[in-house]
């Protein structure tokens, strides 16, 4: 049984109770049995994090960074093993799982380096014999709640900057990928974190996550998950005066202009639409194609999607793994039915796959709807599965309006060879991230990550200044007067 990690020890939940983490490619395989944390355990974890905070915040930041550096090295050494575990636990194909581990490695090293930066400013005073500076200070105890689609990368996006900034942490990973999460915590422990600095509690979002997010003992919350949950948690944090970063849903789109390199655009749409079986907040679930290339694009896109091989992601021949759970599978099927009823044309996919390698898992064929009206529910709501809507547009202006016409604003992309069109798209697309001649996925860890509108609320993730460091630190401004007399700003002139 995999336990909770509280105050430097692996412990069973006080109320008992366990849950299983299952391989979605083969539901007969139990990847791990987890001990569920109840309210008492969350209380203890928050208490331990609070107690550990004073010493941790006073440890020189470069020393904190060295611990992260060691964790990064351990992740690197164990990359293959962790990638395979991830594929077994949530299904993404091995190449992508290794990329996920790499993202955690990158973030560990990047934030380890921040230990030697974390810079503020020194600014001249308007008065003699007085100096002024701004310094970054940690916010305190952080609650971190992470999803299942990036089992190591997203926890690392939150844990590494939180720790290097001098915060202590209570981490609640998705119950669907709790085994991967426990490995990350184990590695950080082995890398030398003092007790109580990082605590791990297992359980469902509704119980453990909700309780942690509204706990009076935390000073900040970083959450990645659905918009409905994120906005609810953000409202509570605002009420309690806590810092908050919520990364939520997306309805990302790729624009394909008539002058685009079509082969490249098709590859980008396949990667964006069906990578991680469409289960990314950055997935390209809409492709908006200009009239003149609509049909040729669609023909190639459908052909490429139907050639994708479904199966267990551990096999290097497999392109698309399962979706994560039965509940997700039902939800995605529900949307496929909605798309049909709305009158969109189902061109490929649309069904579960239960043959051969797929017999024991949650597999859905890569699905493309064409002739989708931008107002249809399949073009407005996040499906989080391998379902792409193709929409026609007359020109760039209409394409941009379609892309901007949802409640979300995480990622958009444009394929064009025309520098002016690219510039207009960069200016007018209202998403937090815009790609040119690249798909909607592939954000790099050293830039701020996040969206506008219902996709993101509060501070951005990842990145340094302008991103995660702004979430996990607050500014303190220090004026030091060494004149030995009372000096009055604004008045002594
Ligand atoms: C997410 O989908 O929740 O750009 C994060 C990307 C990844 C991160 C995705 N680097 O798709």
């Amino acid at each position: 049984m995999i336990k909770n990690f509280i105050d430097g020890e692996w412990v069973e939940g006080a109320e008992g109770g366990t849950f299983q983490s299952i391989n979605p490619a083969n539901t007969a395989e139990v990847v791990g049995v987890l001990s569920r944390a109840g309210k008492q355990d969350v209380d203890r974890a928050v208490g331990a994090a609070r107690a550990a905070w004073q010493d941790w915040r006073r440890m020189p930041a470069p020393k904190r960074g060295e611990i992260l550096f060691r964790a990064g090295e351990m992740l690197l050494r164990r990359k293959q093993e962790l990638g395979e575990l991830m594929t077994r636990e949530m299904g993404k194909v091995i190449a992508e799982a290794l990329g996920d581990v790499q993202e955690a490695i990158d973030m560990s090293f990047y934030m380890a380096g921040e230990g030697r930066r974390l810079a503020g400013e020194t600014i001249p005073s308007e008065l003699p014999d007085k100096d002024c500076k701004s310094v970054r200070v940690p916010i305190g105890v952080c609650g971190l709640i992470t999803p299942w689609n990036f089992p190591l990368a997203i926890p690392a996006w939150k844990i590494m900057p939180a720790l290097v900034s001098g915060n202590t942490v209570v981490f609640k990973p998705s119950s669907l990928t709790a085994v991967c999460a426990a490995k990350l915590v184990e590695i950080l422990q082995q890398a030398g974190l003092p007790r109580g600095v990082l605590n791990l509690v297992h359980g469902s979002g509704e119980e453990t996550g909700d309780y942690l997010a509204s706990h009076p003992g935390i000073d900040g919350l970083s959450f990645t998950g659905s918009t409905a949950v994120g906005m609810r948690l953000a409202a509570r944090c605002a009420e309690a005066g806590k810092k908050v970063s919520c990364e939520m849903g997306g309805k990302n789109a790729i624009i394909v202009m008539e002058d685009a390199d079509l082969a490249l655009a098709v590859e980008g749409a396949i990667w964006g639409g069906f990578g991680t079986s469409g289960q990314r907040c950055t997935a390209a679930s809409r492709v908006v194609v200009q009239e003149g290339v609509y049909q040729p694009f669609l023909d190639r896109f459908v052909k490429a999607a139907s050639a994708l091989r479904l199966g267990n992601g551990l096999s290097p021949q497999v392109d698309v793994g399962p979706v994560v759970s039965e509940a997700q599978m039902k939800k995605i099927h529900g949307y496929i039915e909605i798309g049909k009823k709305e009158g969109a044309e189902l061109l490929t996919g649309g069904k579960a796959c239960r043959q051969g390698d797929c017999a024991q898992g949650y597999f859905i064929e890569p699905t493309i709807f064409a002739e989708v009206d931008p107002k249809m529910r399949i073009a407005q709501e996040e499906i989080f599965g391998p379902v792409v809507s193709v929409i026609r547009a007359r020109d760039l202006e209409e394409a941009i309006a379609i892309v901007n016409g949802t409640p979300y604003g995480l990622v958009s992309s444009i394929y064009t060879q025309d520098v002016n069109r690219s510039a207009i798209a960069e200016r007018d697309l209202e998403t937090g991230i815009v790609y040119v001649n690249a798909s909607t996925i592939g954000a790099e860890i050293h830039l701020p990550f996040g969206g506008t509108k219902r996709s993101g609320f509060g501070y951005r993730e990842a990145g340094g200044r302008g991103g995660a460091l702004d979430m996990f630190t607050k500014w303190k401004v220090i004026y030091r007067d060494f004149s030995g007399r009372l000096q009055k700003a604004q008045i002594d002139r």
Side-chain angles (χ1 to χ4, degrees):
M1 181 172 52
I2 298 169
K3 299 180 182 170
N4 302 281
F5 188 65
I6 301 175
D7 202 13
E9 274 164 42
W10 292 94
V11 291
E12 280 180 42
E15 292 159 28
T18 58
F19 62 92
Q20 293 182 335
S21 178
I22 301 288
N23 181 346
N26 172 12
T27 54
E29 186 193 346
V30 177
V31 179
V33 177
L34 291 300
S35 163
R36 191 189 304 275
K39 293 184 175 163
Q40 254 178 286
D41 306 298
V42 176
D43 289 343
R44 274 197 59 225
V46 172
R50 175 67 55 200
W53 185 50
Q54 291 304 336
D55 285 346
W56 182 244
R57 79 179 173 89
R58 291 194 194 110
M59 180 186 282
K63 294 272 172 248
R64 295 196 296 255
E66 281 169 25
I67 297 175
L68 302 194
F69 190 84
R70 282 199 291 277
E73 287 182 312
M74 286 156 112
L75 285 165
L76 186 57
R77 271 201 301 279
R78 294 175 62 179
K79 183 171 170 181
Q80 187 65 30
E81 165 210 335
L82 292 167
E84 286 169 15
L85 171 68
M86 190 182 297
T87 297
R88 283 172 49 225
E89 194 171 26
M90 58 67 73
K92 68 167 84 171
V93 297
I94 185 70
E96 289 185 36
L98 292 171
D100 188 314
V101 185
Q102 187 60 45
E103 207 161 328
I105 295 167
D106 293 342
M107 190 53 102
S108 308
F109 289 150
Y110 178 53
M111 285 298 156
E114 273 310 328
R116 288 190 182 268
R117 286 184 293 266
L118 280 178
E121 284 184 309
T122 58
I123 303 168
S125 168
E126 66 187 49
L127 293 166
D129 299 330
K130 183 179 174 190
D131 53 28
C132 322
K133 64 184 173 189
S134 60
V135 293
R136 285 189 187 272
V137 294
I139 60 177
V141 177
C142 296
L144 308 181
I145 300 182
T146 59
W148 46 262
N149 66 337
F150 280 83
L152 290 176
I154 294 182
W157 284 12
K158 299 184 193 299
I159 291 173
M160 303 305 171
L163 292 180
V164 81
S165 301
N167 302 283
T168 53
V169 167
V170 180
F171 168 35
K172 205 302 282 178
S174 164
S175 52
L176 297 174
T177 49
V179 180
C180 283
K183 289 280 177 212
L184 179 62
V185 170
E186 191 183 284
I187 285 172
L188 277 155
Q189 176 202 10
Q190 287 165 2
L193 277 186
R195 65 187 290 169
V197 169
L198 173 63
N199 303 273
L200 166 72
V201 288
H202 295 299
S204 69
E206 299 79 53
E207 287 165 22
T208 320
D210 232 67
Y211 186 70
L212 170 63
S214 22
H215 203 286
I218 64 166
D219 303 290
L221 172 72
S222 179
F223 165 85
T224 300
S226 73
T227 298
V229 174
M231 292 312 291
R232 183 162 50 75
L233 299 182
R236 274 195 228 152
C237 285
E239 223 167 64
K242 291 173 184 167
K243 282 187 97 167
V244 64
S245 167
C246 289
E247 287 309 330
M248 306 176 287
K251 194 67 195 175
N252 315 297
I254 293 177
I255 297 175
V256 182
M257 297 304 295
E258 281 169 2
D259 61 65
D261 175 337
L262 265 202
L264 192 65
V266 169
E267 268 187 293
I270 291 283
W271 176 224
F274 305 118
T276 326
S277 309
Q279 306 170 112
R280 292 193 184 218
C281 55
T282 53
S285 55
R286 298 180 295 159
V287 185
V288 181
V289 188
Q290 195 178 4
E291 212 92 66
V293 284
Y294 182 83
Q295 202 54 51
F297 171 84
L298 201 55
D299 294 344
R300 292 193 199 194
F301 185 38
V302 169
K303 188 165 170 232
S306 20
L308 293 171
R309 288 154 303 188
L310 247 75
N312 188 322
L314 284 179
S315 154
Q317 273 87 47
V318 164
D319 301 306
V320 180
V323 299
V324 76
S325 66
E326 196 173 351
Q328 279 301 119
M329 182 136 170
K330 283 196 179 131
K331 182 179 159 206
I332 297 162
H333 274 309
Y335 272 108
I336 292 172
E337 288 312 310
I338 289 170
K340 289 192 213 159
K341 285 209 192 83
E342 287 179 309
E345 265 179 40
L346 177 64
L347 293 187
T348 184
K351 298 189 299 296
C353 176
R354 300 192 198 281
Q355 294 145 11
D357 203 19
C358 299
Q360 293 290 324
Y362 305 125
F363 290 91
I364 300 184
E365 294 171 354
T367 300
I368 297 176
F369 280 107
E371 301 303 341
V372 176
D373 182 279
K375 292 281 169 256
M376 287 178 181
R377 285 185 62 194
I378 53 166
Q380 287 286 322
E381 297 173 22
E382 186 177 50
I383 300 175
F384 227 63
V387 181
V388 178
S389 294
V390 181
I391 304 171
R392 271 178 207 271
R394 274 188 314 277
D395 51 21
L396 180 58
E397 201 184 336
E398 190 185 36
I400 291 175
I402 291 169
V403 175
N404 289 342
T406 78
Y408 296 107
L410 187 55
V411 192
S412 56
S413 135
I414 180 165
Y415 281 84
T416 179
Q417 302 288 329
D418 181 323
V419 68
N420 295 349
R421 290 201 172 113
S422 159
I424 292 168
E426 288 168 38
R427 185 191 62 197
D428 293 342
L429 288 166
E430 289 167 358
T431 51
I433 302 171
V434 176
Y435 287 93
V436 179
N437 291 326
S439 191
T440 54
I441 63 187
E444 300 179 28
I445 59 103
H446 48 301
L447 287 105
F449 177 94
T452 60
K453 301 192 275 186
R454 307 295 275 185
S455 289
F457 187 86
Y459 294 87
R460 292 286 159 97
E461 293 237 79
R465 280 177 295 163
L469 293 183
D470 290 347
M471 166 63 201
F472 292 111
T473 62
K474 52 192 176 189
W475 288 112
K476 182 183 278 183
V477 171
I478 298 169
Y479 297 100
R480 180 173 47 184
D481 190 317
F482 50 98
S483 69
R485 58 185 191 278
L486 175 66
Q487 299 201 88
K488 296 179 183 143
Q490 293 92 38
I491 294 171
D492 294 352
R493 301 188 63 85

